[in-house]
Amino acid sequence: MIHIRSKEEIELIRKSALMVSATLSEVAKFLKPGITTISIDKMAEAFIRDNGGIPSFKGYHGFPYSLCISVNDVVVHGFPGEYELQDGDIISVDCGFYKNGYHGDSAYTFAIGNVKPEVLKLLRVTKESVYIGMAQARENNRVGDISYAIEHYTSRLHNYGVVRELVGHGVGKDLHEDPQVPNFGKRGDGKKLREGMVLAIEPMINLGTKNVHTERDGWTVRTNDNKPSAHFEHTTAVRKSKGEPLSSFEPIEAAELENIELNSSQYSDKITVLIA
Ligand code: MG
Ligand code: MG
């Protein structure tokens, strides 16, 4: 069943979604080579609980952590652990925040230090594709219009691999609700969109093959060719003319820049890339 949320409900989802953005901006400030991914998870869980929230992911179908942390060729659902971040890594951080009966869900892929230009481009295109998909999240469009727009931009225009096995979703009282929102598909296919639906739009885009596999832990999804993968996600309200993001990348981007400036000697190459 697809829910149409009231104005009040959407404001509660927005509050939770913006707390995800706040958590991810704390993550952005915290990131540097040498830190373990479990330390990021612990910091984020403390931040979520200090702000009166519950980490949506912890215990969800048995997932043991507050964040999904997926490094390099891990697409999504990576376990935080003792791995120490290295210069040149990318790290996708997916976070959910639950408060007042509603979830927010958002993800962001960060570059650690000097990342190869072709991988920085993958991050940029994947982030842009969230907005390209979101532009289609308007009344009387169909889910397939979002799916097609993301696939066309990332796969047809940029020749990246679009993950098929994992999709976006409705979000609200439950973390995952109907409808599914694939990142590939045909225009005009699928459920009709109505103002007040809330969708998590979340392209998972690979530098190489679209094919992925799940590891023995039952969670970690990795690319079959071990090339890097990026993941960006916004909780999005369907509106009359285009989707409205309820989460925000702005505080995350500001924190990223602050972090880069702090580590400017180490990250000098990246500053040039960002300004360009
Ligand atoms: Mg998510
Ligand atoms: Mg999601």
Side-chain angles (χ1 to χ4, degrees):
M1 174 184 177
I2 304 179
H3 299 277
I4 307 291
R5 300 298 180 189
S6 68
K7 214 177 153 191
E8 292 73 23
E9 286 181 293
I10 288 177
E11 288 317 306
L12 290 174
I13 297 172
R14 188 197 305 276
K15 276 190 179 168
S16 288
L18 287 176
M19 283 310 304
V20 174
S21 308
T23 308
L24 292 174
S25 61
E26 290 302 306
V27 170
K29 289 179 211 161
F30 191 74
L31 292 175
K32 61 179 175 185
I35 64 163
T36 62
T37 54
I38 190 71
S39 70
I40 304 166
D41 184 74
K42 288 191 171 137
M43 183 280 294
E45 179 169 359
F47 183 81
I48 290 168
R49 295 194 190 278
D50 285 349
N51 283 282
I54 294 170
S56 303
F57 299 172
K58 200 160 191 176
Y60 186 82
H61 292 289
F63 188 81
Y65 302 98
S66 295
L67 301 177
C68 297
I69 298 189
S70 306
V71 179
N72 296 331
D73 60 342
V74 177
V75 180
V76 286
H77 301 167
F79 282 3
E82 296 308 319
Y83 177 78
E84 292 178 6
L85 293 179
Q86 293 178 30
D87 184 69
D89 281 346
I90 59 166
I91 167 177
S92 300
V93 181
D94 195 350
C95 178
F97 184 101
Y98 180 76
K99 192 175 177 177
N100 299 319
Y102 293 89
H103 294 275
D105 186 10
S106 179
Y108 198 92
T109 303
F110 299 93
I112 306 298
N114 299 291
V115 169
K116 285 184 195 155
E118 63 166 0
V119 180
L120 287 176
K121 185 180 163 202
L122 171 72
L123 303 194
R124 176 174 62 76
V125 168
T126 305
K127 189 198 277 187
E128 287 165 354
S129 76
V130 178
Y131 294 93
I132 283 166
M134 213 156 31
Q136 299 298 320
R138 62 170 182 257
E139 174 116 326
N140 293 326
N141 258 4
R142 290 184 182 265
V143 170
D145 295 309
I146 301 172
S147 307
Y148 172 84
I150 293 171
E151 183 185 15
H152 184 264
Y153 187 65
T154 56
S155 173
R156 307 273 161 75
L157 294 184
H158 290 286
N159 210 23
Y160 293 142
V162 177
V163 174
R164 298 293 202 265
E165 288 82 349
L166 299 132
V167 297
H169 51 90
V171 56
K173 286 189 177 169
D174 291 311
L175 179 62
H176 293 147
E177 297 182 348
D178 288 337
Q180 293 198 341
V181 185
N183 297 304
F184 60 96
K186 287 193 184 129
R187 277 187 278 207
D189 259 11
K191 300 275 193 239
K192 197 174 252 195
L193 301 177
R194 294 281 179 226
E195 187 166 19
M197 289 180 182
V198 179
L199 308 173
I201 296 178
E202 51 175 319
M204 290 151 262
I205 307 297
N206 301 343
L207 187 62
T209 178
K210 67 180 188 303
N211 297 317
V212 301
H213 59 278
T214 304
E215 305 216 311
R216 282 193 187 158
D217 61 20
W219 286 99
T220 307
V221 177
R222 200 181 288 274
T223 58
N224 282 1
D225 59 7
N226 295 115
K227 288 188 179 169
S229 180
H231 181 210
F232 288 84
E233 175 180 27
H234 266 320
T235 294
T236 304
V238 174
R239 297 299 195 195
K240 287 250 179 316
S241 60
K242 63 173 185 168
E244 179 194 6
L246 301 180
S247 41
S248 173
F249 291 155
E250 281 176 27
I252 307 170
E253 288 163 348
E256 263 189 315
L257 272 177
E258 205 180 294
N259 189 341
I260 289 165
E261 280 159 15
L262 275 173
N263 297 281
S264 56
S265 55
Q266 203 174 345
Y267 291 167
S268 54
D269 295 353
K270 196 176 163 211
I271 291 174
T272 319
V273 171
L274 280 170
I275 291 166

